[in-house]
Amino acid sequence: MKDYTPVMSFGDEVAREYRHLRRGDENSAVEFLGRLAGRGPALELAVGTGRIALPLAARGIRVDGVDISPAMVAQLRATPGGEAISVTIGDFADVPVPGTFRLIYVVWNTLFNLLTQDDQVRCFKNVAEHLTDDGVFAVEAYVPAFLHRLRNDQYAEAEAVLVDEVRLDVLRHDMATQMIEESHVSLSAAGVRLNPVVQRYAWPCELDLMARIAGLRLKQRWGGWKQEPFDSTSGTHVSVYGR
Ligand SMILES: C[S@@+](CC[C@H](N)C(=O)[O-])C[C@H]1O[C@@H](n2cnc3c(N)ncnc32)[C@H](O)[C@@H]1O
């Protein structure tokens, strides 16, 4: 997508909506991550508005964050408990924070917001350098199998059809580059609003190799936060890497 930069996807309007967005599996995610973190500290890459970091910190674990979007971090700061999370504004591929962590994690497919394989590999390497000896890196991401079922490598889906607004999700896939270009489009009397997002996806096995390059190994892989088995029907995976 020409002229796209990731921070475009997370401006003020999205950040305001995001602050209240819940997927419904947050308790299981926090339960799982809390067990991995032990006494901490933990670091969330792409912490956003704190959907996961805030309830994790509420369990008494120190949680730091990295995010590229000042708008998302402003919403985190405006939420009770947000002031306790130390956030560095920057690119999470760099892991631009001092110290080491018992747990570093990146959720909701956000590893794929790093748009090149090099950036994703760099992320794994930097994460490895910021883990304690017994520390782990947890990644939650989709399994790209659904892309094989697309017709002509694209789709347009009606997300909402209301009397005063239509919301569409429009997506194109390029298998050669492993890129997904997507836009959430709102049509209403107020005009047309676009929310573009681009991702470079990877299969779980590619992530495992990135981990190996960084000196880490796959320790656990689940089909979800409730430790569902990972198998050929899994749409998502929760993978845990360590030394
Ligand atoms: C889908 S949101 C997820 C936020 C949070 N992790 C959650 O689960 O609610 C993606 C977040 O990634 C951040 N982001 C995207 N690319 C980034 C990058 N290269 N470095 C740091 N943050 C990035 C965005 O600003 C946004 O806050």
Side-chain angles (χ1 to χ4, degrees), residues 6-7 10 18 21 23 44-52 66-70 72-73 90-93 105-108 110 113-114 140:
V7 78
F10 301 99
Y18 214 98
L21 206 61
R23 266 172 32 172
E44 179 165 353
L45 306 180
V47 65
T49 56
R51 186 182 61 93
I52 300 296
V66 177
D67 205 282
I68 209 165
S69 161
M72 293 290 273
V73 176
D91 184 344
F92 75 77
Y105 63 96
V106 59
V107 301
W108 208 340
T110 306
N113 288 35
L114 300 179
E140 183 217 15

Side-chain angles (χ1 to χ4, degrees), residues 1-14:
M1 195 182 285
K2 192 167 172 289
D3 298 331
Y4 173 81
T5 59
V7 78
M8 274 178 190
S9 303
F10 301 99
D12 288 327
E13 202 166 333
V14 169

Side-chain angles (χ1 to χ4, degrees), residues 145-188:
F146 72 96
L147 296 168
H148 290 162
R149 295 191 288 276
L150 294 182
R151 203 171 57 182
N152 297 329
D153 275 315
Q154 54 181 270
Y155 74 66
E157 207 170 84
E159 282 189 328
V161 182
L162 311 170
V163 282
D164 54 356
E165 184 189 9
V166 168
R167 286 202 297 274
L168 302 173
D169 178 19
V170 180
L171 177 148
R172 278 183 1 162
H173 165 228
D174 184 328
M175 187 190 66
T177 56
Q178 295 181 204
M179 300 296 283
I180 295 175
E181 297 175 330
E182 187 175 10
S183 192
H184 295 273
V185 182
S186 158
L187 308 167
S188 71

Side-chain angles (χ1 to χ4, degrees), residues 215-237:
L216 301 174
R217 291 265 169 175
L218 181 69
K219 300 280 181 183
Q220 304 177 31
R221 172 160 289 139
W222 305 104
W225 292 116
K226 289 190 176 139
Q227 297 183 262
E228 298 89 339
F230 179 78
D231 61 26
S232 57
T233 65
S234 300
T236 185
H237 66 104

Side-chain angles (χ1 to χ4, degrees), residues 19 24 59 70 79 139 174 219 236:
R19 180 176 168 191
R59 298 167 72 110
T79 307
V139 177
D174 184 328
K219 300 280 181 183
T236 185

Side-chain angles (χ1 to χ4, degrees), residues 19 22 47-58 61-66 70 72-89:
R19 180 176 168 191
R22 294 293 177 272
V47 65
T49 56
R51 186 182 61 93
I52 300 296
L54 287 170
L56 192 58
I61 298 164
R62 191 189 107 204
V63 183
D64 295 351
V66 177
M72 293 290 273
V73 176
Q75 291 297 327
L76 167 66
R77 291 271 171 262
T79 307
E83 70 290 339
I85 314 263
S86 161
V87 181
T88 303
I89 297 286

